[in-house]
Amino acid sequence: NLGDELYAGVKVSDNASNVVVGTDGDNIEDASEKNYISYWNQGAFARDDAQDVRISGNTFGLSPDGATPTANKNGIIMRIDGGIVGWCDENINTTVCSNDGSTADQANVILNGERGIRFDRGAANVHIYGNYIGTDPAETLDMGPSLYGMEFRQSNTGEAFFIGGSEIEQTNTVANADIGIFVNGQSKGDAFLPLNDYRIVNNTIRDSLTSGIHVLGTELFGSTPGASDGTIDGNTITGSG
């Protein structure tokens, strides 16, 4: 159901914890653990005080034949503490991560729709590593989201958002979106504060229609300042605008 935000292919909520959607990266049948998720408002949705939720190795918005678009409105939305999207090891989380699996098996492929990944409304301690948004690992598909490859907004803690990193397995590839990565400084009311301590490092962002990375620091709904304390470093941004 594409018309109601409550509908999701996989939904994790109400204090659920230590949940893996897709592969656990332990090098035991990892490739067979993936899900194909299509035709939902949210492909995967974590909310309502769920904790330590990992989403890895899945394909969103493409049929198992590898060619037919099957768009979700949004690929992944997380509103939790401790969300992991893609690759991770035990330095990040000892419960839902492993040191044994391959990077390739742990990558999500997120295609079509409006947004690839969105974190908002109290999300914190976020790790997004080694995913493909708007294209596939071979980079032969051109199926980017119509709005944002990734969007981040409205956090109520000071814990960091890590988008990419210094290791090769942490690099995300974002292609063919209107805006590759959108750091949205808007905040509504007193319940949430705008983002701070976001780290966008060593990602590949290409063929964006408007901007590779856009940081919007304007507060539209109150007096709290917009997004602050950001690091944008070492990214490869080509063919944008």
Side-chain angles (χ1 to χ4, degrees):
N1 189 318
L2 295 174
D4 191 320
E5 70 171 9
L6 297 179
Y7 288 97
V10 178
K11 184 176 180 179
V12 184
S13 66
D14 298 291
N15 297 299
S17 63
N18 301 324
V19 177
V20 178
V21 180
T23 181
D24 55 10
D26 65 356
N27 205 31
I28 301 173
E29 299 184 349
D30 286 342
S32 67
E33 294 168 353
K34 72 183 300 178
N35 301 288
Y36 286 87
I37 301 176
S38 303
Y39 295 131
W40 293 95
N41 190 287
Q42 334 287 6
F45 189 17
R47 56 174 293 179
D48 295 337
D49 296 319
Q51 291 186 337
D52 298 322
V53 177
R54 179 184 181 188
I55 301 173
S56 299
N58 305 288
T59 296
F60 296 84
L62 188 71
S63 69
D65 67 13
T68 306
T70 55
N72 302 284
K73 184 176 181 181
N74 301 291
I76 298 171
I77 292 187
M78 282 197 174
R79 296 172 179 167
I80 65 168
D81 186 356
I84 299 167
V85 178
W87 174 90
C88 65
D89 63 16
E90 293 176 9
N91 291 320
I92 297 169
N93 187 300
T94 58
T95 303
V96 298
C97 301
S98 172
N99 294 331
D100 300 323
S102 73
T103 305
D105 286 337
Q106 297 176 66
N108 295 291
V109 177
I110 306 172
L111 305 169
N112 303 300
E114 293 185 0
R115 297 174 181 86
I117 298 170
R118 179 172 177 171
F119 280 73
D120 64 11
R121 300 189 190 182
N125 191 26
V126 169
H127 296 81
I128 303 176
Y129 295 142
N131 302 284
Y132 293 86
I133 301 173
T135 190
D136 59 317
E139 299 200 47
T140 58
L141 297 177
D142 178 358
M143 296 184 180
S146 61
L147 295 178
Y148 318 125
M150 303 185 198
E151 182 187 18
F152 308 96
R153 62 182 295 180
Q154 294 180 339
S155 178
N156 62 359
T157 79
E159 296 182 79
F161 282 46
F162 297 93
I163 306 100
S166 59
E167 305 298 328
I168 187 64
E169 58 265 22
Q170 296 175 330
T171 296
N172 299 288
T173 298
V174 183
N176 307 307
D178 182 42
I179 297 174
I181 298 177
F182 185 28
V183 181
N184 191 340
Q186 299 176 12
S187 180
K188 294 183 178 180
D190 296 329
F192 302 100
L193 299 175
L195 294 177
N196 59 59
D197 198 5
Y198 55 90
R199 307 176 192 183
I200 303 171
V201 177
N202 289 345
N203 301 284
T204 298
I205 305 165
R206 63 171 178 82
D207 299 323
S208 306
L209 295 179
T210 304
S211 305
I213 298 173
H214 181 185
V215 180
L216 175 64
T218 302
E219 175 52 58
L220 298 180
F221 299 100
S223 59
T224 306
S228 64
D229 191 19
T231 299
I232 300 174
D233 185 21
N235 301 283
T236 300
I237 306 172
T238 58
S240 300

